Every structure is written in structure tokens, then in C-alpha cells.
Amino acid sequence: MNHSSKPRDFRKSVVYQIYPKSFRDSDGDGLGDINGVIEKLDYIRDLGVDCVWLTPFFVSPQYDNGYDVADYYNIDPRYGTMGDVERLIAEADRRGIGLMFDMVFNHVSTDHEWFRKAIAGDPYYKDFFFFRKGKGEGCPPTNWASKFGGSAWQYVPEFDEYYLHLFDRSQADLNWENENVRREIRSIVRFWMDKGVKGFRFDVINLVSKAAFEDDPKGDGRRFYTDGPKIHRYLRELNATTFGTDARIVTVGEMSSTSMEECYWYAGHMAGALSMVFSFHHLKVDFAGDDEWVIVPPDFAKLKRVMFDWQTGMADHDAWNAVFWCNHDQPRIVSRFGDDGRYWRQSATMLATIIHCLRGTPYVYQGEELGMTNADFTRIDQFRDVESLNYHRILQDRGLNAKDAMRIVQIHSHDNARTPMQWDGSRYAGFMDEPERGARHAKPWIGVNANHTVINVEKENDDPDSILNYYRALIALRKKLDIIAYGDVEPLAPAHPSMFAYRRRHDGHELIVAANLHGKDCMWEETPDLAGFERVLGNYPNQRVKAYARRVLLRLYEANVWYR
Ligand code: NOJ
């Protein structure tokens, strides 16, 4: 059956995110690839998800694992061929799955033809980027910091000028002021629409409108380029000239350090250019302000406050959130906010329940549905992520000893999310096939977590109590009960120290979700009246609710969903 003509209601959808490099290596070179994704499409369909977001596999030198694109129209040979991608689109479509491609338009790789021409002095292409004079000998144009550490400006001696890179120096920021840049971007989006792609994720898209190139005495410069003055105009233009012409396309914008007020506009039902937004404030509750490279225990009171604010704020403005704990940049949630030891199953399913019943489109990141944990790396040479490697050095430059710097990197590294997907208990977790004894073979590009012998798809598939089957049940529940997609949301017990609870309402129905964030039992006094409610899902076999007493005992990491 061909599903491609059917528009998809993104509010009722669930998206599965694949980081192809770490998903499944079909040809034994140590890198995951497109054919590996095709091999696993039945697994993805059986999860019940509607869309798959794939992180970039376009031609790239891979300094930032493909977020440094050198050619948007071709596939990096390490991932496969255009033929493979066309087959992937067709095979996904056959299973009713829409593919979302990752569009990185804030910057391009310095290997991109545009940048090469610019650096060769071609004025047409120089204007695709931000080249600026420094403030004097050895002094960049502004004091802005790169998000990956160090200055955001790279000196080019041939011009005696600097170019802007908000990320790695191999990722030069594009000048969206230039109409020719925006025209090129439109062609790229249309190219992939013509290939049958059903959605787009726009990388750090709220950074593309730069306000002014001034020193930031109070910060790292972000206030001059975050949610900049022309951002809504640019997005509306992109919408009107590309994906907005096709109602089947689902879009999500990754919004870095954004504000909720801006997101009403990005993803508002009437005026928004995008279907939904990713924001990250709820994942900064174990930072010190904006500083990620510290050890701070998660502040659950703040987590609740931030998530409830966004839930109700966006709902009040008829705007739509992506809801998620995990992606390829975030440590694994069970290690971060749960317990990846003794109460691994309870805490992973509790956290999943919170996300999947909220108002918004849930995203599941590969391996999250198994309860995959943070990497077990103990040496810096096991890490691959450029930001982690930079900060390991920067932290020591700031005076930390090597052990403390290492501990911080272990906790926060993006590589925690990038260890190979754990399909089975074999040597390379089924990410790569087991090599023949004694045969020379490539190794996975990044280490496999030793716990793959316990945490893997094969083991969890047939276990009715597994995390995997709990995710399947949550996804099925969203399909079954309209209230999860369309209901209003009301925070409950906002001041309770352990409970994360909320009520949804829709069409005469109610749904109540209550989760215990902590590894010890808690009591919820004065619950709403639960008479007439049925428990439709929970991560313990039974409940300890005395409905008449209006008190609920939640055991450690317990989560329940009640419906009336
Ligand atoms: C956000 C992406 O998720 C991240 O992986 C990447 O490094 C930066 N954007 C830069 O493209």
C-alpha cells in the first residue's frame, strides 16, 4: 500500500529518531549506514511510530558527525548511495512511516563548494558567509564564544579577516541576509520534497538571523543572534516557498536558548511557520545556568516548573511542542534523571510515562525504548565528540585535575547517546555482525556499551515487562485515546517534592497521570477524586490507591495513567 498521499496529523504522531552512524552497520566497516536502517524498518514499524527523523548523512568531512554538510544533494559514501536513500524512502512509505530529514542551514562545512569559492576570494560566495575585520592585531571582531568552546571567529590571513562559526571552526555560519543564500536553501528543501521526504528537522534554526556584530559584555554573544530580528520572516518565506505548499509535511525547528514567547510564533497553529519546536530549558536543570560542564544534581522542582510553564503557555497560545528527554546530544535519560542500576526498569518507564502523556508530539531516540544507559567510557581516547574533547582540555586549562575533568565529560558528553544501538548480546551488540573467528575486521567507530548483554532488543522483545514493551504500550495508548493528542493540560500537585502529575481533559473525558520521580515511596495527599477512573497503564503490576480516601501511595519510580 502506498501511504504517501495521506496527510498525517502530527499531534497524534510519535517520531523515532535515528542517528544512522550508530544504528546498524550493514557492510561491516564500523559505521552505521542507510541499508542498516532499511534492515530495521519492521522493528520501527512494530514500535507503532509514524515518522522517523534521521540525523544528517549528506556528504561531510564528519568533524561534527554530519552536522558539517559539504554537499546537501549527495549522500556521504560512508552511509550509502542516493539509490539506497531512495529505497529507504520507498520502503518506509510502504510501512506507513514518513521520513524527516535533518536540514542544517545555520552553517555549512568549510569543505562546501560555497566556502571553498569564498576562501578563494570569489566575492559572490564571500557574501554567503560573515567575513569581518578584527578589532586589531589578533583580536576578533567580537568576543562571542563558539558553542563548542573558544572564540566564534576564525582568522583568515589571506584576507586579514575572520569568519563567524557559532559551532566548530569547520562549520562556517551562512549569511541569511543574502537572498542568494536563501534561494539555495529553498532549492535544497524542494529537492528532498521531490524525492518523497515527508518532514524536516531544522537544526538550530533560530540562530540564523544575526542582529548585530557587537561585543557582549554580559555573556557569550547569544543575545545578538538567538531568535534574531528577521527570524520569523525567514521561516515564513521558507514555509511559503517550500514545505508549506504540501500539507503532508511535518516540520520541527530546533530552538537553541529560545523563549516561549518566540515559540508561540514559530509553532502557533495559525501563524507558525513550523509544525512544532524543540526547546531545551527542561534539560538544563542539571547545569549551572547555561554552563553544562559542571556536576549539579537535577533540580526536579525546576524541571516541573519549566515543563508545566511550557505545557500551559504553549497550549494557551495554541502552539505545539515536541516533547522529549533524549536525542543524540543528550546523555541517556535513565542515567540522568532516573537510576540506571537497581531501579533501571522502574525509573525508565516512569520517565517515559511522563513524556508520552503530555500535550505535544513525543520523540523517542534510538535505544531509549530499551532503557539504554550512558556510555561506560573511562578514558578520553574512547570519546569521539568534538565538544567533549574540547571541554576535557578547557576544564583542565581552567584548573580542574584530569580526574574531575573526566568525570564531568562522562556525565555530560553527547557520546553517551551515540554508542551503538543494542540489538542483541553478540560481540558488537548486533550493530555489526559477529566477525568470523580470527578474521581481520573493522571495529565500531565508537565503543559498544558492555551492558549490551543485558540491555538489548532481542532480550526485551518477548518480555512482557520490558521497557521496550512499555514504550510500545505508551505509543499504542496515544493512538487509542484522542485525549492524549488533543486534550487540555492542567498541572497537578505543582509543589509536591516527588510527584510529577497532571490532568488532561477532552470531549468529556479525563486522563490523570501521576509519577514518582524519586527512588523512595511517596504519598500524594488530596488527590483528585479518582472514582470512576480506570487505570489504563502503569509500570507496577497493580496500584495502591484508596480512591475513597483521596490518598495515593506511589512506590519508588511508580507511574500510573488513569482514564475516565
Ligand atoms: C545541533 C545538533 O543537534 C548538534 O548535534 C550539532 O552539533 C549542532 N546543532 C551544530 O549543527
Side-chain angles (χ1 to χ4, degrees), residues 64 67 107 148 167 171 201 203-204 254 328-329 418:
D64 188 21
Y67 282 93
H107 43 265
F148 287 168
F167 293 87
Q171 295 163 300
R201 178 253 188 201
D203 189 64
V204 290
E254 186 200 29
H328 62 289
D329 295 329
R418 299 176 184 178

Side-chain angles (χ1 to χ4, degrees), residues 147-284:
K147 306 233 177 224
F148 287 168
S151 167
W153 296 96
Q154 177 66 28
Y155 185 61
V156 182
E158 291 83 342
F159 304 150
D160 187 27
E161 280 174 345
Y162 294 75
Y163 67 84
L164 179 70
H165 61 88
L166 293 182
F167 293 87
D168 189 54
R169 80 162 82 101
S170 67
Q171 295 163 300
D173 277 53
L174 284 169
N175 174 13
W176 279 58
E177 289 279 331
N178 182 340
E179 160 62 26
N180 297 323
V181 168
R182 304 205 304 282
R183 206 185 44 223
E184 294 280 3
I185 286 170
R186 293 199 283 273
S187 311
I188 296 162
V189 175
R190 280 200 221 106
F191 175 83
W192 288 110
M193 284 171 63
D194 290 346
K195 291 268 183 208
V197 169
K198 290 295 177 307
F200 297 102
R201 178 253 188 201
F202 294 104
D203 189 64
V204 290
I205 194 67
N206 65 325
L207 307 186
V208 303
S209 168
K210 275 79 176 169
F213 292 99
E214 288 173 26
D215 271 343
D216 185 353
K218 288 199 289 260
D220 60 7
R222 69 183 66 189
R223 64 199 178 93
F224 290 109
Y225 56 74
T226 303
D227 302 318
K230 296 193 184 150
I231 183 65
H232 296 288
R233 199 170 107 192
Y234 291 155
L235 282 177
R236 278 190 208 120
E237 179 186 80
L238 188 62
N239 172 308
T241 50
T242 62
F243 55 83
T245 59
D246 184 341
R248 295 167 304 175
I249 297 212
V250 175
T251 52
V252 57
E254 186 200 29
M255 302 302 174
S256 171
S257 302
T258 190
S259 74
M260 207 182 344
E261 291 68 30
E262 297 293 341
C263 290
Y264 303 155
W265 293 100
Y266 291 132
H269 180 60
M270 295 307 284
L274 302 172
S275 315
M276 64 190 117
V277 285
F278 286 122
S279 66
F280 296 90
H281 300 282
H282 67 298
L283 294 174
K284 294 186 177 178

Side-chain angles (χ1 to χ4, degrees), residues 344-508:
W344 164 71
R345 199 193 67 79
Q346 291 87 335
S347 60
T349 48
M350 177 276 292
L351 290 162
T353 312
I354 292 178
I355 284 293
H356 281 257
C357 297
L358 284 173
R359 178 182 178 277
T361 301
Y363 283 65
V364 179
Y365 175 66
Q366 66 183 46
E368 175 187 346
E369 76 279 18
L370 308 174
M372 274 181 66
T373 66
N374 276 353
D376 52 359
F377 300 157
T378 52
R379 300 185 322 267
I380 195 65
D381 66 356
Q382 293 173 291
F383 289 86
R384 301 285 176 268
D385 171 44
V386 46
E387 186 179 0
S388 309
L389 299 175
N390 285 348
Y391 270 93
H392 185 252
R393 186 179 33 77
I394 292 170
L395 290 169
Q396 292 182 74
D397 292 347
R398 288 182 192 161
L400 259 69
N401 64 39
K403 196 163 147 245
D404 290 345
M406 184 65 196
R407 189 71 203 120
I408 294 178
V409 169
Q410 282 172 322
I411 289 175
H412 288 289
S413 176
H414 299 185
D415 284 338
N416 284 316
R418 299 176 184 178
T419 61
M421 174 74 177
Q422 295 172 193
W423 297 102
D424 59 38
S426 66
R427 178 156 173 200
Y428 296 134
F431 165 68
M432 292 170 71
D433 291 340
E434 183 98 44
E436 282 182 28
R437 269 177 88 86
R440 279 173 66 91
H441 64 276
K443 298 231 162 58
W445 72 280
I446 188 167
V448 174
N449 195 315
N451 66 18
H452 73 277
T453 52
V454 187
I455 303 176
N456 66 59
V457 172
E458 200 177 79
K459 260 200 153 56
E460 294 194 30
N461 203 31
D462 301 323
D463 170 4
D465 293 327
S466 67
I467 297 172
L468 175 57
N469 279 312
Y470 194 84
Y471 268 83
R472 288 178 176 146
L474 275 170
I475 295 167
L477 193 64
R478 164 173 288 261
K479 305 286 161 194
K480 192 167 146 208
L481 302 180
D482 275 352
I483 191 169
I484 301 181
Y486 307 121
D488 297 342
V489 57
E490 176 201 351
L492 298 175
H496 196 290
S498 295
M499 296 250 323
F500 195 114
Y502 52 90
R503 187 199 326 251
R504 310 287 312 273
R505 279 201 179 92
H506 177 68
D507 214 9

